[in-house]
Short mmCIF file of all heavy atoms in Angstrom, two decimals:
data_model
loop_
_atom_site.label_atom_id
_atom_site.label_comp_id
_atom_site.label_asym_id
_atom_site.label_seq_id
_atom_site.Cartn_x
_atom_site.Cartn_y
_atom_site.Cartn_z
N GLY A 24 108.67 92.24 87.10
CA GLY A 24 107.47 92.49 86.31
C GLY A 24 106.34 93.04 87.14
O GLY A 24 106.55 93.80 88.09
N GLU A 25 105.14 92.61 86.81
CA GLU A 25 103.93 93.19 87.37
C GLU A 25 103.41 92.40 88.56
O GLU A 25 103.01 91.25 88.42
CB GLU A 25 102.85 93.25 86.29
CG GLU A 25 103.26 94.11 85.12
CD GLU A 25 102.23 94.09 84.01
OE1 GLU A 25 101.04 93.91 84.30
OE2 GLU A 25 102.63 94.26 82.85
N LEU A 26 103.39 93.05 89.71
CA LEU A 26 102.84 92.46 90.92
C LEU A 26 101.41 93.01 91.06
O LEU A 26 101.12 93.85 91.91
CB LEU A 26 103.72 92.82 92.12
CG LEU A 26 103.51 92.07 93.41
CD1 LEU A 26 103.54 90.57 93.19
CD2 LEU A 26 104.57 92.47 94.41
N THR A 27 100.55 92.55 90.16
CA THR A 27 99.19 93.09 90.04
C THR A 27 98.17 91.96 90.02
O THR A 27 98.52 90.78 89.94
CB THR A 27 99.06 93.92 88.75
OG1 THR A 27 99.44 93.10 87.64
CG2 THR A 27 99.95 95.16 88.78
N ILE A 28 96.90 92.32 90.08
CA ILE A 28 95.82 91.35 90.22
C ILE A 28 95.84 90.23 89.17
O ILE A 28 95.57 89.08 89.51
CB ILE A 28 94.44 92.03 90.32
CG1 ILE A 28 93.42 91.05 90.87
CG2 ILE A 28 94.03 92.65 89.01
CD1 ILE A 28 92.15 91.69 91.35
N PRO A 29 96.17 90.49 87.90
CA PRO A 29 96.19 89.37 86.96
C PRO A 29 97.20 88.27 87.32
O PRO A 29 97.06 87.13 86.88
CB PRO A 29 96.56 90.01 85.62
CG PRO A 29 96.20 91.44 85.77
CD PRO A 29 96.43 91.77 87.21
N PHE A 30 98.19 88.62 88.12
CA PHE A 30 99.25 87.67 88.46
C PHE A 30 99.23 87.30 89.95
O PHE A 30 100.17 86.68 90.45
CB PHE A 30 100.61 88.26 88.08
CG PHE A 30 100.65 88.68 86.64
CD1 PHE A 30 100.55 90.02 86.30
CD2 PHE A 30 100.74 87.74 85.62
CE1 PHE A 30 100.55 90.42 84.97
CE2 PHE A 30 100.74 88.12 84.30
CZ PHE A 30 100.64 89.47 83.96
N ALA A 31 98.15 87.64 90.64
CA ALA A 31 98.05 87.38 92.08
C ALA A 31 98.12 85.89 92.39
O ALA A 31 98.79 85.49 93.35
CB ALA A 31 96.77 87.99 92.63
N GLY A 32 97.46 85.08 91.62
CA GLY A 32 97.47 83.64 91.87
C GLY A 32 98.86 83.05 91.74
O GLY A 32 99.28 82.22 92.56
N GLU A 33 99.58 83.51 90.74
CA GLU A 33 100.95 83.02 90.52
C GLU A 33 101.87 83.43 91.68
O GLU A 33 102.66 82.62 92.17
CB GLU A 33 101.47 83.60 89.20
CG GLU A 33 102.82 83.11 88.78
CD GLU A 33 103.27 83.69 87.45
OE1 GLU A 33 102.44 84.21 86.69
OE2 GLU A 33 104.48 83.63 87.19
N PHE A 34 101.75 84.68 92.13
CA PHE A 34 102.58 85.16 93.23
C PHE A 34 102.21 84.44 94.53
O PHE A 34 103.08 84.00 95.28
CB PHE A 34 102.45 86.68 93.38
CG PHE A 34 103.34 87.28 94.42
CD1 PHE A 34 104.70 87.03 94.43
CD2 PHE A 34 102.83 88.12 95.39
CE1 PHE A 34 105.53 87.59 95.39
CE2 PHE A 34 103.64 88.70 96.34
CZ PHE A 34 105.00 88.43 96.36
N SER A 35 100.93 84.30 94.78
CA SER A 35 100.47 83.62 95.98
C SER A 35 100.96 82.18 96.02
O SER A 35 101.45 81.70 97.05
CB SER A 35 98.94 83.66 96.04
OG SER A 35 98.47 82.98 97.17
#
Side-chain angles (χ1 to χ4, degrees):
E25 299 176 28
L26 194 52
T27 56
I28 197 165
F30 306 103
E33 185 179 343
F34 185 51
S35 178

